[in-house]
Amino acid sequence: MRLLRAIFVWCNLFGVFELSFGAKERNYEFDVEYIYKKPDCLEHVVMGINGQFPGPTIRAEVGDTLVINVTNKLSTEGTVIHWHGIRQRGTPWADGTAAISQCAINPGETFQYKFEVDKSGTYFYHGHYGMQRAAGLYGSLIVDLPKSQREPFHYDGEFNLLLSDLWHTSSHEQEVGLSSAPMRWIGEPQTLLINGRGQFNCSLAAKFVNTTLPQCNFKGDEECAPEILQVKPKKTYRIRIASTTSLASLNLAISNANQLHGNGSEIHPWHLHGHDFWVLGYGEGKFKPLDAKSFNLTRAPLRNTVVVFPYGWTALRFKADNPGVWAFHCHIEPHLHMGMGVIFAEGVHKIRKVPTEALTCGATAKMLLNDTLH
């Protein structure tokens, strides 16, 4: 009996529980709060999780169940977290979209997200309430194949790169500007970040490219110093890249002078919750029925986010096989904030076993629900 108790305590400390068929339950405690950080060598107030910016990396295997208890330690605003790219099959209430799949988590309250990760890949999570993604509420989520399966390619090591953008004005100030009359646009970000690190008013590549910025000089221990990826000759490395930028559209180039390029906001990246979809084609101007003849119906790429170019159209197809209420919206944060999105209510009558906490909003609603049940 003591042995079993010791094993249970050990598992509980590490937040991992064995389920059937080798799958595990992985438990996390997330405290969302504002913190001071120097991501681009200047001090800013950013949103962090457990004192970290970006938030902790979640790593799991296909078939695992993630249990994330999110506690809102913000004093004056609600919050939610969306698990970008996770299809939430059977758990639409865990999608993390405020006023769509759940109520915002009130200050001081905790909401439990519990869902299965059923597909390997490089994902991320981010705030989906107001402009909280622009404030820094994001992190990486990586789903590996089970240890019994191998990737179709060999590599000796891997690196995880999370791209983001940073403004020197607060997300609250940005929200006020977007809601004002006349509207005040947020402008381009001041800094681009890789894994929460970037440079402002200097360039790491000043010696190699034509720029008026001075060369950046770091001792290496600064909070904003670039992360160095150590590699060995004749080895193969996998680079996982996810972009949680709120506005900037980026191209990542690896060359003799490694640098981050194409900062622009002319395109609209549309993201569909709860599904992957096939991208059938693109075109210029307004879509016409004859354009359907050019659709790729045999080898269309599978995505959950797709770009719509200026003055153009994009055609996609998905199977409505996941009951829930799903957001479909432009993933540029200020565009969504101003209403650039729609909702698909998909087979809602087929949803079963909704957790009680997902049916209510805040402590008052829970008390009313308890009165109704009793």
Side-chain angles (χ1 to χ4, degrees):
M1 185 65 181
R2 291 181 179 177
L3 178 61
L4 289 175
R5 185 175 300 164
I7 293 175
F8 175 78
V9 171
W10 184 88
C11 290
N12 190 31
L13 288 174
F14 283 85
V16 177
F17 296 89
E18 291 286 344
L19 301 175
S20 59
F21 306 109
K24 296 178 179 179
E25 184 176 283
R26 301 176 184 267
N27 290 258
Y28 294 86
E29 301 290 331
F30 276 14
D31 290 345
V32 177
E33 56 193 337
Y34 284 107
I35 56 178
Y36 285 103
K37 287 291 181 181
K38 296 181 179 179
D40 63 352
C41 303
L42 302 179
E43 188 172 71
H44 306 280
V45 174
V46 298
M47 294 192 78
I49 297 176
N50 301 343
Q52 299 181 45
F53 168 79
T57 296
I58 294 176
R59 192 130 198 174
E61 293 182 5
V62 171
D64 287 351
T65 296
L66 297 183
V67 180
I68 305 109
N69 293 311
V70 177
T71 300
N72 182 359
K73 291 197 172 182
L74 310 172
S75 58
T76 59
E77 58 190 299
T79 191
V80 295
I81 295 182
H82 170 56
W83 317 96
H84 188 107
I86 304 301
R87 295 179 291 183
Q88 299 293 352
R89 291 191 177 275
T91 53
W93 51 83
D95 190 49
T97 47
I100 298 176
S101 64
Q102 71 171 104
C103 299
I105 307 168
N106 288 330
E109 292 187 344
T110 299
F111 182 86
Q112 183 180 90
Y113 294 97
K114 185 174 183 179
F115 54 90
E116 181 182 338
V117 287
D118 62 349
K119 193 174 183 180
S120 64
T122 304
Y123 307 98
F124 61 99
Y125 60 86
H126 62 82
H128 214 293
Y129 183 78
M131 299 282 288
Q132 290 183 351
R133 177 159 58 103
L137 183 53
Y138 49 75
S140 294
L141 197 169
I142 297 173
V143 182
D144 295 304
L145 288 173
K147 291 182 174 59
S148 58
Q149 300 181 29
R150 287 192 174 186
E151 297 280 6
F153 45 86
H154 167 78
Y155 54 95
D156 302 291
E158 72 171 45
F159 302 107
N160 182 40
L161 303 183
L162 184 64
L163 313 182
S164 58
D165 41 14
L166 178 72
W167 280 261
H168 290 175
T169 54
S170 71
S171 60
H172 296 131
E173 186 175 342
Q174 293 176 38
E175 289 180 8
V176 171
L178 293 172
S179 303
S180 297
M183 184 265 289
R184 297 186 182 183
W185 182 241
I186 65 173
E188 298 294 333
Q190 279 68 57
T191 310
L192 301 177
L193 307 178
I194 302 180
N195 291 348
R197 298 165 176 250
Q199 290 74 50
F200 175 69
N201 277 348
C202 71
S203 171
L204 290 172
K207 297 178 181 178
F208 308 101
V209 298
N210 185 18
T211 177
T212 58
L213 294 175
Q215 177 72 31
C216 293
N217 294 302
F218 294 102
K219 294 183 296 182
D221 59 349
E222 296 92 343
E223 189 177 321
C224 57
E227 186 174 356
I228 298 176
L229 309 181
Q230 302 287 354
V231 298
K232 296 181 179 179
K234 298 182 180 180
K235 298 291 185 180
T236 301
Y237 295 89
R238 176 179 188 169
I239 301 180
R240 296 179 178 269
I241 302 174
S243 177
T244 185
T245 53
S246 297
L247 177 63
S249 175
L250 306 175
N251 293 317
L252 183 67
I254 301 177
S255 61
N256 292 333
N258 295 351
Q259 55 189 302
L260 195 64
H261 289 288
N263 178 12
S265 55
E266 295 82 11
I267 63 174
H268 295 288
W270 279 78
H271 171 52
L272 176 61
H273 292 220
H275 298 274
D276 295 327
F277 52 72
W278 292 275
V279 182
L280 304 184
Y282 305 87
E284 296 181 350
K286 188 175 181 179
F287 177 80
K288 302 178 293 295
L290 289 177
D291 292 325
K293 292 184 177 181
S294 64
F295 284 174
N296 178 2
L297 299 177
T298 56
R299 303 189 67 180
L302 192 65
R303 301 283 187 269
N304 61 56
T305 305
V306 69
V307 168
V308 180
F309 293 98
Y311 305 103
W313 56 265
T314 299
L316 56 89
R317 168 184 283 177
F318 72 94
K319 186 175 182 180
D321 59 355
N322 191 12
V325 181
W326 307 112
F328 181 47
H329 62 90
C330 178
H331 214 260
I332 291 177
E333 190 85 329
H335 292 181
L336 172 60
H337 186 73
M338 293 188 291
M340 197 172 184
V342 297
I343 296 172
F344 290 120
E346 179 182 336
V348 178
H349 62 285
K350 295 184 178 180
I351 298 175
R352 299 288 185 269
K353 299 181 180 179
V354 180
T356 301
E357 58 270 21
L359 293 171
T360 59
C361 291
T364 303
K366 289 179 181 177
M367 287 189 293
L368 292 174
L369 182 63
N370 288 334
D371 290 341
T372 301
L373 294 176
H374 293 91

